Amino acid sequence: RVFLAINLPDEVRKKVEKVSVNLANKLPEKGVGFVEPKNLLITLHFLEDQTGASIQEIKKLSRLDYESRNFRN
């Protein structure tokens, strides 16, 4: 399974963690789970199952697009 995603800044992860803990404490049922803060991200596009060659091409193309648009700090 392959997808393009953006990692969240640490301060956002910490805020989400606080909300998750607060919500978990208020839920009567303990069968609900939350994603670990270190695993939080925003999925931009799900690309389904891909082969190794396709994954390498996707990495190359996404890196080029990322760099060409100057999204870096």
Side-chain angles (χ1 to χ4, degrees):
R1 296 175 50 185
V2 177
F3 56 91
L4 297 176
I6 297 173
N7 286 321
L8 296 173
D10 287 338
E11 60 270 12
V12 173
R13 291 173 195 266
K14 288 176 185 175
K15 287 180 182 180
V16 171
E17 182 178 24
K18 284 182 183 180
V19 171
S20 297
V21 168
N22 187 25
L23 184 57
N25 289 333
K26 291 181 179 183
L27 290 172
E29 194 172 315
K30 299 295 180 191
V32 177
F34 294 90
V35 173
E36 297 268 341
K38 66 181 180 179
N39 295 328
L40 290 172
L41 51 80
I42 297 174
T43 300
L44 300 175
H45 189 74
F46 180 61
L47 301 167
E48 301 179 7
D49 294 326
Q50 302 292 322
T51 65
S54 294
I55 292 171
Q56 293 308 314
E57 188 65 20
I58 291 166
K59 281 183 176 180
K60 187 171 94 175
L61 292 172
S62 65
R63 196 172 298 118
L64 287 173
D65 190 45
Y66 173 79
E67 291 171 357
S68 70
R69 293 185 184 199
N70 285 328
F71 288 130
R72 291 180 155 176
N73 290 334

XYZ file of all heavy atoms in Angstrom:
593
model
N 0.843 -1.179 0.000
C 0.000 0.000 0.000
C 0.885 1.237 0.000
O 1.763 1.372 0.837
C -0.876 -0.005 1.235
C -1.839 -1.188 1.250
C -2.626 -1.271 2.508
N -3.229 0.017 2.809
C -3.900 0.285 3.898
N -4.069 -0.630 4.801
N -4.409 1.459 4.097
N 0.618 2.111 -0.934
C 1.441 3.311 -1.089
C 0.538 4.538 -1.040
O -0.551 4.545 -1.608
C 2.201 3.287 -2.429
C 3.007 4.554 -2.632
C 3.103 2.061 -2.514
N 1.012 5.571 -0.360
C 0.274 6.826 -0.335
C 1.245 7.982 -0.190
O 2.362 7.810 0.295
C -0.755 6.841 0.794
C -0.187 6.585 2.161
C 0.234 7.632 2.960
C -0.067 5.299 2.641
C 0.768 7.396 4.217
C 0.457 5.046 3.896
C 0.876 6.105 4.684
N 0.823 9.156 -0.647
C 1.594 10.377 -0.462
C 1.026 11.078 0.761
O -0.193 11.195 0.908
C 1.471 11.286 -1.685
C 2.028 10.724 -2.987
C 1.745 11.681 -4.134
C 3.520 10.468 -2.870
N 1.908 11.549 1.636
C 1.447 12.138 2.885
C 2.375 13.259 3.337
O 3.503 13.381 2.870
C 1.371 11.066 3.962
N 1.849 14.039 4.273
C 2.616 15.115 4.907
C 2.720 14.784 6.391
O 1.713 14.491 7.043
C 1.889 16.467 4.743
C 1.780 16.850 3.277
C 2.619 17.560 5.528
C 0.937 18.083 3.040
N 3.944 14.838 6.919
C 4.128 14.668 8.356
C 3.656 15.922 9.076
O 3.769 17.024 8.546
C 5.594 14.406 8.689
C 6.018 13.023 8.315
O 5.264 12.072 8.480
N 7.226 12.885 7.804
N 3.142 15.748 10.269
C 2.668 16.885 11.055
C 3.783 17.429 11.939
O 4.615 16.666 12.442
C 1.497 16.457 11.935
C 0.251 16.009 11.195
C -0.776 15.450 12.170
C -0.340 17.153 10.403
N 3.785 18.737 12.165
C 4.772 19.323 13.083
C 4.559 18.785 14.501
O 3.441 18.423 14.882
C 4.479 20.822 13.028
C 3.633 21.038 11.828
C 2.929 19.742 11.553
N 5.617 18.777 15.291
C 5.552 18.254 16.660
C 4.496 18.958 17.506
O 3.803 18.313 18.290
C 6.918 18.363 17.352
C 7.903 17.346 16.818
O 7.461 16.316 16.257
O 9.124 17.571 16.965
N 4.355 20.280 17.349
C 3.376 20.996 18.175
C 1.944 20.558 17.860
O 1.096 20.487 18.741
C 3.521 22.522 18.054
C 3.337 23.084 16.670
C 4.621 23.183 15.854
O 5.659 22.626 16.244
O 4.564 23.828 14.795
N 1.676 20.217 16.601
C 0.355 19.711 16.225
C 0.154 18.317 16.806
O -0.914 18.006 17.340
C 0.175 19.698 14.690
C -1.117 19.021 14.295
C 0.242 21.115 14.131
N 1.175 17.481 16.721
C 1.091 16.136 17.295
C 0.775 16.187 18.790
O -0.034 15.415 19.293
C 2.398 15.380 17.074
C 2.675 15.015 15.647
C 4.076 14.416 15.534
N 4.514 14.376 14.171
C 4.376 13.331 13.376
N 3.819 12.237 13.825
N 4.809 13.382 12.143
N 1.433 17.102 19.503
C 1.214 17.223 20.948
C -0.223 17.656 21.249
O -0.840 17.154 22.186
C 2.211 18.213 21.542
C 3.623 17.671 21.591
C 4.604 18.689 22.096
C 6.019 18.135 22.007
N 7.031 19.127 22.365
N -0.757 18.580 20.465
C -2.138 19.026 20.677
C -3.122 17.899 20.408
O -4.081 17.695 21.164
C -2.452 20.233 19.795
C -1.779 21.498 20.262
C -2.108 22.670 19.359
C -1.368 23.908 19.822
N -1.650 25.067 18.974
N -2.888 17.151 19.337
C -3.761 16.016 19.014
C -3.674 14.962 20.112
O -4.680 14.370 20.497
C -3.422 15.420 17.630
C -4.171 14.127 17.384
C -3.711 16.430 16.524
N -2.494 14.745 20.630
C -2.330 13.765 21.712
C -3.138 14.177 22.951
O -3.806 13.343 23.566
C -0.856 13.621 22.079
C -0.612 12.593 23.168
C 0.861 12.413 23.488
O 1.655 13.327 23.234
O 1.195 11.334 23.996
N -3.097 15.456 23.306
C -3.868 15.932 24.468
C -5.361 15.701 24.266
O -6.056 15.228 25.168
C -3.602 17.423 24.706
C -2.288 17.723 25.343
C -2.138 19.216 25.585
C -0.775 19.527 26.162
N -0.609 20.968 26.400
N -5.849 16.020 23.075
C -7.268 15.823 22.781
C -7.613 14.335 22.818
O -8.644 13.943 23.368
C -7.636 16.439 21.408
C -9.040 16.048 20.989
C -7.483 17.950 21.446
N -6.755 13.503 22.259
C -6.993 12.058 22.230
C -7.050 11.470 23.632
O -7.923 10.658 23.937
C -5.895 11.344 21.432
O -5.897 11.759 20.100
N -6.123 11.867 24.490
C -6.097 11.365 25.865
C -7.353 11.817 26.599
O -7.998 11.029 27.298
C -4.817 11.835 26.599
C -4.906 11.579 28.091
C -3.599 11.153 26.008
N -7.715 13.073 26.429
C -8.913 13.602 27.079
C -10.161 12.844 26.615
O -10.997 12.457 27.426
C -9.036 15.102 26.784
C -10.146 15.762 27.552
O -10.554 15.293 28.606
N -10.635 16.860 27.028
N -10.268 12.631 25.323
C -11.416 11.909 24.773
C -11.429 10.457 25.248
O -12.478 9.934 25.627
C -11.392 11.971 23.248
C -12.558 11.357 22.504
C -13.875 11.993 22.942
C -12.373 11.521 21.003
N -10.286 9.816 25.242
C -10.197 8.418 25.682
C -10.652 8.271 27.138
O -11.302 7.290 27.497
C -8.769 7.904 25.517
N -10.315 9.255 27.971
C -10.707 9.211 29.382
C -12.207 9.406 29.569
O -12.772 8.978 30.569
C -9.951 10.269 30.185
C -8.488 9.922 30.334
O -8.101 8.761 30.301
N -7.663 10.942 30.472
N -12.856 10.053 28.613
C -14.290 10.319 28.722
C -15.147 9.217 28.099
O -16.338 9.154 28.371
C -14.628 11.653 28.049
C -14.080 12.835 28.799
C -14.447 14.131 28.131
C -13.889 15.290 28.945
N -14.265 16.572 28.391
N -14.543 8.374 27.279
C -15.307 7.317 26.625
C -15.606 6.196 27.611
O -14.699 5.724 28.306
C -14.542 6.761 25.422
C -14.414 7.704 24.232
C -13.481 7.102 23.191
C -15.767 7.980 23.619
N -16.866 5.750 27.647
C -17.218 4.674 28.581
C -16.632 3.326 28.159
O -16.357 2.483 28.979
C -18.743 4.647 28.530
C -19.094 5.255 27.217
C -17.999 6.222 26.897
N -16.429 3.157 26.886
C -15.949 1.877 26.368
C -14.445 1.954 26.117
O -13.953 2.898 25.503
C -16.681 1.548 25.061
C -16.518 0.121 24.630
C -17.409 -0.181 23.445
O -18.580 0.217 23.463
O -16.919 -0.805 22.509
N -13.721 0.975 26.573
C -12.262 0.976 26.413
C -11.809 0.329 25.106
O -10.627 0.206 24.874
C -11.605 0.254 27.601
C -11.879 0.893 28.925
C -11.265 2.270 29.006
C -11.538 2.900 30.351
N -11.204 4.299 30.405
N -12.733 -0.059 24.233
C -12.381 -0.715 22.981
C -11.975 0.236 21.875
O -11.684 -0.177 20.764
N -11.940 1.530 22.161
C -11.567 2.529 21.162
C -10.082 2.816 21.291
O -9.570 3.019 22.385
C -12.373 3.831 21.358
C -11.930 4.896 20.381
C -13.860 3.550 21.223
N -9.392 2.838 20.167
C -7.963 3.122 20.182
C -7.643 4.357 19.358
O -8.411 4.752 18.487
N -6.537 4.962 19.652
C -6.090 6.146 18.926
C -4.706 5.888 18.344
O -3.913 5.126 18.892
C -6.044 7.353 19.860
C -7.408 7.771 20.350
C -7.941 7.240 21.514
C -8.165 8.668 19.631
C -9.190 7.613 21.965
C -9.424 9.046 20.063
C -9.941 8.513 21.233
N -4.409 6.569 17.276
C -3.106 6.455 16.628
C -2.059 7.113 17.525
O -2.302 8.168 18.107
C -3.133 7.158 15.242
C -1.762 7.208 14.611
C -4.132 6.487 14.337
N -0.911 6.476 17.616
C 0.205 7.062 18.365
C 0.575 8.400 17.726
O 0.615 8.511 16.493
C 1.423 6.136 18.306
C 1.227 4.791 18.954
C 1.658 4.811 20.399
O 2.418 5.714 20.795
O 1.221 3.923 21.132
N 0.865 9.427 18.507
C 1.205 10.734 17.945
C 2.352 10.691 16.929
O 2.324 11.409 15.935
C 1.599 11.560 19.172
C 0.860 10.930 20.296
C 0.808 9.465 19.965
N 3.326 9.814 17.155
C 4.458 9.728 16.217
C 4.028 9.217 14.833
O 4.734 9.406 13.858
C 5.562 8.840 16.782
C 5.170 7.385 16.916
C 6.291 6.561 17.499
C 5.831 5.114 17.595
N 6.854 4.248 18.124
N 2.848 8.582 14.751
C 2.358 8.025 13.486
C 1.322 8.910 12.790
O 0.766 8.514 11.771
C 1.762 6.637 13.720
C 2.800 5.642 14.177
O 3.959 5.725 13.801
N 2.397 4.715 15.009
N 1.064 10.093 13.324
C 0.081 10.985 12.720
C 0.625 11.628 11.449
O 1.791 12.025 11.394
C -0.316 12.086 13.700
C -1.141 11.648 14.897
C -1.284 12.811 15.874
C -2.512 11.163 14.457
N -0.216 11.723 10.452
C 0.138 12.364 9.188
C -1.138 12.735 8.453
O -2.223 12.353 8.858
C 1.008 11.445 8.325
C 0.515 10.012 8.075
C -0.530 9.951 6.984
C 1.684 9.129 7.724
N -0.988 13.485 7.378
C -2.128 13.822 6.526
C -1.918 13.135 5.186
O -0.919 13.384 4.505
C -2.241 15.340 6.315
C -2.501 16.027 7.648
C -3.354 15.657 5.310
C -2.476 17.535 7.574
N -2.823 12.240 4.837
C -2.730 11.540 3.563
C -3.265 12.440 2.458
O -4.385 12.927 2.534
C -3.536 10.219 3.598
O -3.000 9.392 4.631
C -3.463 9.491 2.263
N -2.430 12.652 1.439
C -2.824 13.475 0.303
C -3.470 12.646 -0.800
O -4.419 13.087 -1.438
C -1.607 14.206 -0.269
C -0.887 15.141 0.679
C 0.360 15.692 0.009
C -1.804 16.263 1.126
N -2.904 11.446 -0.998
C -3.436 10.599 -2.067
C -3.046 9.147 -1.811
O -1.887 8.858 -1.536
C -2.890 11.055 -3.422
C -3.532 10.384 -4.584
N -4.807 10.690 -4.995
C -3.096 9.414 -5.415
C -5.112 9.938 -6.052
N -4.082 9.160 -6.310
N -4.009 8.254 -1.896
C -3.758 6.835 -1.739
C -3.536 6.234 -3.122
O -4.355 6.386 -4.013
C -4.935 6.158 -1.033
C -4.741 4.690 -0.826
C -3.690 4.222 -0.056
C -5.588 3.782 -1.407
C -3.490 2.873 0.146
C -5.403 2.412 -1.222
C -4.349 1.967 -0.445
N -2.400 5.571 -3.316
C -2.014 5.027 -4.619
C -2.215 3.518 -4.725
O -1.794 2.910 -5.699
C -0.555 5.375 -4.915
C -0.267 6.879 -4.938
C 1.226 7.129 -4.911
C -0.902 7.514 -6.146
N -2.804 2.920 -3.721
C -3.075 1.482 -3.684
C -1.784 0.668 -3.694
O -0.730 1.163 -3.358
C -4.022 1.096 -4.824
C -5.353 1.830 -4.743
C -6.292 1.485 -5.876
O -5.983 0.589 -6.666
O -7.350 2.125 -5.940
N -1.863 -0.586 -4.097
C -0.693 -1.462 -4.137
C 0.159 -1.133 -5.361
O -0.363 -0.943 -6.454
C -1.114 -2.930 -4.179
C -1.802 -3.360 -2.889
O -1.407 -2.846 -1.827
O -2.716 -4.188 -2.950
N 1.477 -1.088 -5.165
C 2.413 -0.779 -6.243
C 3.578 -1.756 -6.202
O 3.897 -2.315 -5.158
C 2.949 0.655 -6.090
C 1.896 1.732 -6.081
C 1.197 1.889 -7.411
O 1.806 1.790 -8.468
N -0.106 2.132 -7.367
N 4.232 -1.916 -7.335
C 5.430 -2.759 -7.397
C 6.640 -1.952 -6.951
O 6.586 -0.727 -6.855
C 5.666 -3.252 -8.834
O 5.959 -2.119 -9.658
C 4.468 -3.992 -9.379
N 7.744 -2.640 -6.720
C 8.981 -1.970 -6.305
C 9.430 -0.919 -7.297
O 9.842 0.173 -6.920
N 9.350 -1.223 -8.593
C 9.766 -0.269 -9.624
C 8.852 0.957 -9.606
O 9.311 2.089 -9.731
C 9.742 -0.932 -10.996
N 7.566 0.737 -9.448
C 6.611 1.846 -9.399
C 6.871 2.727 -8.193
O 6.793 3.949 -8.274
C 5.173 1.330 -9.334
O 4.832 0.661 -10.512
N 7.189 2.113 -7.073
C 7.451 2.876 -5.849
C 8.658 3.790 -6.046
O 8.633 4.959 -5.662
C 7.656 1.933 -4.648
C 6.334 1.235 -4.321
C 8.190 2.695 -3.435
C 6.456 0.127 -3.307
N 9.703 3.269 -6.660
C 10.889 4.090 -6.903
C 10.561 5.267 -7.825
O 11.028 6.386 -7.616
C 12.022 3.235 -7.497
C 12.567 2.208 -6.538
C 12.966 2.799 -5.204
O 13.620 3.826 -5.119
N 12.551 2.145 -4.126
N 9.762 5.033 -8.847
C 9.365 6.109 -9.773
C 8.494 7.138 -9.046
O 8.656 8.341 -9.240
C 8.615 5.520 -10.968
C 8.330 6.511 -12.058
C 9.573 7.069 -12.745
O 10.655 6.449 -12.657
O 9.455 8.128 -13.366
N 7.587 6.687 -8.202
C 6.731 7.595 -7.427
C 7.591 8.458 -6.507
O 7.389 9.668 -6.407
C 5.682 6.798 -6.625
C 4.656 6.173 -7.576
C 4.991 7.696 -5.602
C 3.797 5.102 -6.936
N 8.555 7.844 -5.842
C 9.456 8.598 -4.961
C 10.192 9.679 -5.750
O 10.289 10.824 -5.315
C 10.482 7.671 -4.313
C 9.982 6.893 -3.148
C 11.137 6.078 -2.586
C 10.761 5.334 -1.349
N 11.905 4.560 -0.820
N 10.717 9.291 -6.894
C 11.475 10.227 -7.728
C 10.594 11.392 -8.177
O 10.969 12.553 -8.058
C 12.052 9.498 -8.937
C 12.989 10.340 -9.781
C 13.684 9.505 -10.835
C 12.886 9.592 -12.116
N 13.528 8.909 -13.232
N 9.409 11.095 -8.667
C 8.510 12.141 -9.158
C 8.013 13.041 -8.035
O 7.916 14.258 -8.212
C 7.328 11.518 -9.902
C 7.674 10.845 -11.223
C 6.469 10.095 -11.767
C 8.188 11.863 -12.231
N 7.681 12.470 -6.895
C 7.183 13.298 -5.793
C 8.282 14.205 -5.255
O 8.032 15.348 -4.884
C 6.593 12.440 -4.679
O 7.585 11.653 -4.084
N 9.503 13.726 -5.241
C 10.634 14.530 -4.784
C 10.876 15.687 -5.742
O 11.090 16.813 -5.322
C 11.886 13.663 -4.669
C 12.983 14.290 -3.855
C 14.143 13.330 -3.601
N 13.720 12.164 -2.842
C 13.774 10.904 -3.299
N 14.240 10.641 -4.488
N 13.371 9.900 -2.552
N 10.802 15.428 -7.041
C 10.997 16.483 -8.029
C 9.922 17.550 -7.893
O 10.204 18.743 -7.919
C 10.966 15.905 -9.449
C 12.174 15.088 -9.869
C 11.917 14.451 -11.231
C 13.413 15.963 -9.923
N 8.687 17.137 -7.746
C 7.593 18.090 -7.612
C 7.753 18.909 -6.342
O 7.594 20.117 -6.340
C 6.247 17.358 -7.627
C 5.086 18.315 -7.735
O 5.168 19.234 -8.569
O 4.126 18.165 -6.976
N 8.109 18.247 -5.266
C 8.304 18.906 -3.971
C 9.403 19.957 -4.086
O 9.233 21.090 -3.679
C 8.656 17.843 -2.937
C 9.060 18.365 -1.583
C 8.100 18.792 -0.682
C 10.393 18.414 -1.210
C 8.461 19.256 0.575
C 10.761 18.876 0.034
C 9.800 19.298 0.914
O 10.163 19.751 2.138
N 10.525 19.588 -4.665
C 11.651 20.497 -4.777
C 11.364 21.638 -5.748
O 11.768 22.768 -5.533
C 12.903 19.737 -5.195
C 13.403 18.815 -4.096
C 14.515 17.895 -4.550
O 14.877 17.926 -5.741
O 15.015 17.145 -3.692
N 10.633 21.364 -6.811
C 10.367 22.397 -7.813
C 9.422 23.472 -7.302
O 9.416 24.583 -7.790
C 9.805 21.774 -9.092
O 8.495 21.290 -8.863
N 8.632 23.154 -6.288
C 7.670 24.137 -5.772
C 8.185 24.866 -4.530
O 7.483 25.660 -3.953
C 6.352 23.440 -5.450
C 5.693 22.948 -6.709
C 4.355 22.382 -6.403
N 3.804 21.837 -7.644
C 2.542 21.599 -7.822
N 1.684 21.819 -6.863
N 2.110 21.099 -8.943
N 9.403 24.587 -4.124
C 10.006 25.261 -2.981
C 9.152 25.212 -1.714
O 8.941 26.219 -1.061
C 10.337 26.724 -3.315
C 11.552 26.831 -4.195
O 12.457 26.017 -4.113
N 11.574 27.837 -5.044
N 8.657 24.032 -1.371
C 7.886 23.884 -0.154
C 8.803 23.761 1.069
O 8.347 23.826 2.183
C 6.993 22.638 -0.222
C 5.838 22.806 -1.155
C 5.566 21.848 -2.124
C 5.015 23.915 -1.077
C 4.500 21.996 -2.970
C 3.943 24.068 -1.922
C 3.678 23.106 -2.878
N 10.046 23.574 0.837
C 10.998 23.442 1.951
C 11.170 24.758 2.674
O 11.038 25.822 2.108
C 12.352 22.992 1.436
C 12.368 21.589 0.928
C 13.743 21.274 0.463
N 13.940 19.843 0.521
C 15.026 19.265 0.103
N 16.013 19.963 -0.384
N 15.145 17.970 0.171
N 11.562 24.660 3.948
C 11.845 25.867 4.728
C 13.225 26.384 4.409
O 14.118 25.725 4.098
C 11.755 25.559 6.233
C 10.330 25.296 6.635
O 9.409 25.776 5.991
N 10.160 24.556 7.706
